[in-house]
Amino acid sequence: GENVEQHPSTLSVQEGDSAVIKCTYSDSASNYFPWYKQELGKRPQLIIDIRSNVGEKKDQRIAVTLNKTAKHFSLHITETQPEDSAVYFCAASSSGGSNYKLTFGKGTLLTVNP
Amino acid sequence: NAGVTQTPKFRILKIGQSMTLQCTQDMNHNYMYWYRQDPGMGLKLIYYSVGAGITDKGEVPNGYNVSRSTTEDFPLRLELAAPSQTSVYFCASSPPRGRISTDTQYFGPGTRLTVL
């Protein structure tokens, strides 16, 4: 089955700096890669996703890049703000065949210091 | 739309008790999922369903059972609760394949369960 590794497990940045979180996956058939943000005590919420037919996607201060050859994808947050502090999870799934499941990384605790 | 709703929000069980965690979605999503999230850990899939009457095991199914009699509801049953089942349980749903945003999972607010 799919295996998703996420690094780092914790990340502390100063407000205004950029933050990068990296994930690798094992199943070359995976073609959908979402990122979820989870604030303390809340549910995970989708913040951005990318499919395998594109290499990069951007939404305001958030961007995701995908390297299918190397089987890794990254979340980039620019101009970080204290409200970006949360746990971020990457995930991977395959849209083909009978695989309907997301496999999640273990999460990155991002702390943005004012 | 209310989205994905879960009840109860919190529950304390004694060892050996049983309970059902409720999950309902009003988005006409075919796919539904149950995850558990232990402190400081990621999400582990317990069971999932691709439609009414169809369920399958995920990564950590032992000690749990599910049923899917309707598109909207996907209850999770804990039989003989154990301390190892202390966790936060999230239900999620996603739209059927072929529609925009396929594979995107929408999560419920979670149920915090403690087994003492």
Side-chain angles (χ1 to χ4, degrees):
Chain A
E2 176 66 276
N3 182 51
V4 177
E5 300 281 342
Q6 183 172 347
H7 299 279
S9 57
T10 61
L11 179 60
S12 182
V13 299
Q14 290 299 120
E15 183 176 358
D17 287 351
S18 295
V20 180
I21 303 170
K22 299 181 179 181
C23 289
T24 60
Y25 61 98
S26 60
D27 187 352
S28 57
S30 289
N31 55 10
Y32 174 66
F33 308 94
W35 286 89
Y36 285 84
K37 175 183 180 182
Q38 186 179 30
E39 297 175 349
L40 188 62
K42 301 288 182 64
R43 75 188 81 186
Q45 295 203 302
L46 180 74
I47 54 171
I48 195 167
D49 57 14
I50 192 168
R51 300 186 187 276
S52 59
N53 56 347
V54 297
E56 183 173 359
K57 183 176 178 181
K58 194 171 182 180
D59 183 3
Q60 299 183 334
R61 296 186 296 109
I62 294 173
V64 58
T65 57
L66 171 65
N67 183 327
K68 285 215 71 177
T69 303
K71 290 192 281 190
H72 67 71
F73 56 111
S74 300
L75 178 71
H76 304 254
I77 305 174
T78 59
E79 299 171 22
T80 54
Q81 300 167 3
E83 50 264 39
D84 293 329
S85 296
V87 178
Y88 291 80
F89 293 97
C90 63
S93 85
S94 169
S95 294
S98 60
N99 186 351
Y100 306 97
K101 299 176 287 185
L102 284 177
T103 300
F104 286 85
K106 291 188 177 178
T108 297
L109 174 61
L110 173 65
T111 303
V112 180
N113 301 299
Chain B
N1 288 353
V4 181
T5 57
Q6 291 182 240
T7 57
K9 286 187 170 56
F10 305 94
R11 184 72 185 269
I12 297 175
L13 283 182
K14 294 182 179 179
I15 294 172
Q17 287 185 319
S18 299
M19 76 164 293
T20 299
L21 282 67
Q22 301 292 345
C23 174
T24 300
Q25 54 86 16
D26 62 359
M27 299 176 281
N28 200 30
H29 285 174
N30 282 26
Y31 306 151
M32 297 187 74
Y33 310 84
W34 274 106
Y35 294 92
R36 61 176 287 172
Q37 185 177 37
D38 298 330
M41 298 294 287
L43 295 148
K44 293 188 178 180
L45 183 65
I46 305 171
Y47 270 96
Y48 67 102
S49 170
V50 302
I54 305 170
T55 63
D56 207 348
K57 295 177 181 179
E59 183 184 356
V60 289
N62 291 346
Y64 307 95
N65 277 301
V66 294
S67 59
R68 184 94 181 270
S69 56
T70 67
T71 299
E72 294 79 18
D73 301 305
F74 190 39
L76 177 71
R77 177 84 178 160
L78 278 73
E79 305 281 1
L80 300 175
S84 60
Q85 293 178 304
T86 293
S87 191
V88 179
Y89 292 83
F90 288 101
C91 179
S93 71
S94 63
R97 293 174 179 263
R99 286 175 51 179
I100 295 173
S101 297
T102 296
D103 294 345
T104 300
Q105 293 190 14
Y106 301 87
F107 284 80
T111 293
R112 187 175 296 274
L113 176 67
T114 302
V115 182
L116 300 174

